[in-house]
Amino acid sequence: MTSEFDDSFKELEQSVMEDMRRVYTEKTIDHFLNPRNLGEIQAPDGFGSVTGPCGDTLEICLRVNNRRIMNTTFWTDGCGASIASGSMVTELIKGKSLAEAQRITQDDILNALGGLPEESLHCALLGANTLKEAIRDYLACEKEPWKRAYRR
Ligand code: FES
């Protein structure tokens, strides 16, 4: 038996989903609602944290072995599109060499998500920039490992 509350909750849920489908692709909604690789890696080999012009922050952790990304996680306090971008970019780089990951761009993330609305394009750029920052951090610590201890 369903209560009136359950029925109105279901209606509200359906209407929210319909609104989302008008704006975002199914792939984006899936990554937004079921983010992959959400969380953090303790003492990561590479770490990037970038705050975009919108004020939202995305963080990416890398576990690297033999210059290959063995594991990666993300965290964000941003919008749904930034969650989808963080989720997708971590999926795109898992198992890739650092050289391959370095070539991932905003467009690669957008293509993988099936596009984002104009006003959310910068959320994918935030994903690409944070990845670059995490790789830069890995390379800096590889050159001067003592720097890792002073990392935030
Ligand atoms: Fe800030 Fe999407 S609005 S990352």
Side-chain angles (χ1 to χ4, degrees):
M1 197 173 88
T2 59
S3 71
E4 232 171 78
F5 175 79
D6 289 339
D7 289 344
S8 12
F9 184 77
K10 257 188 207 137
E11 269 173 37
L12 179 66
E13 207 177 15
Q14 271 173 3
S15 126
V16 168
M17 285 304 290
E18 277 165 25
D19 284 350
M20 277 209 288
R21 285 196 181 100
R22 271 194 276 276
V23 179
Y24 298 110
T25 64
E26 284 297 328
K27 188 67 94 29
T28 301
I29 295 172
D30 179 37
H31 276 265
F32 163 46
L33 295 178
N34 310 292
R36 283 48 151 200
N37 313 308
L38 180 65
E40 63 178 326
I41 294 173
Q42 288 302 311
D45 299 314
F47 175 74
S49 176
V50 175
T51 300
C54 60
D56 295 332
T57 299
L58 183 68
E59 295 182 353
I60 291 180
C61 295
L62 303 176
R63 175 70 65 227
V64 180
N65 193 5
N66 277 335
R67 301 209 131 219
R68 193 161 288 279
I69 297 169
M70 307 310 287
N71 193 17
T72 175
T73 59
F74 83 96
W75 173 88
T76 183
D77 62 0
C79 64
S82 74
I83 296 172
S85 296
S87 173
M88 184 53 87
V89 74
T90 52
E91 283 292 278
L92 289 175
I93 62 171
K94 234 186 212 177
K96 292 252 185 348
S97 69
L98 285 175
E100 289 168 324
Q102 250 171 337
R103 289 196 290 271
I104 300 277
T105 63
Q106 174 190 24
D107 279 348
D108 293 322
I109 299 169
L110 288 170
N111 288 337
L113 290 172
L116 283 174
E118 186 71 29
E119 63 274 17
S120 302
L121 296 179
H122 71 277
C123 314
L125 181 62
L126 184 61
N129 287 344
T130 310
L131 169 61
K132 283 189 179 30
E133 186 58 37
I135 295 175
R136 197 175 7 251
D137 177 62
Y138 171 79
L139 295 173
C141 290
E142 189 185 44
K143 241 198 256 166
E144 296 169 298
W146 56 268
K147 275 190 175 168
R148 194 163 276 136
Y150 293 91
R151 200 165 54 186
R152 188 182 67 84

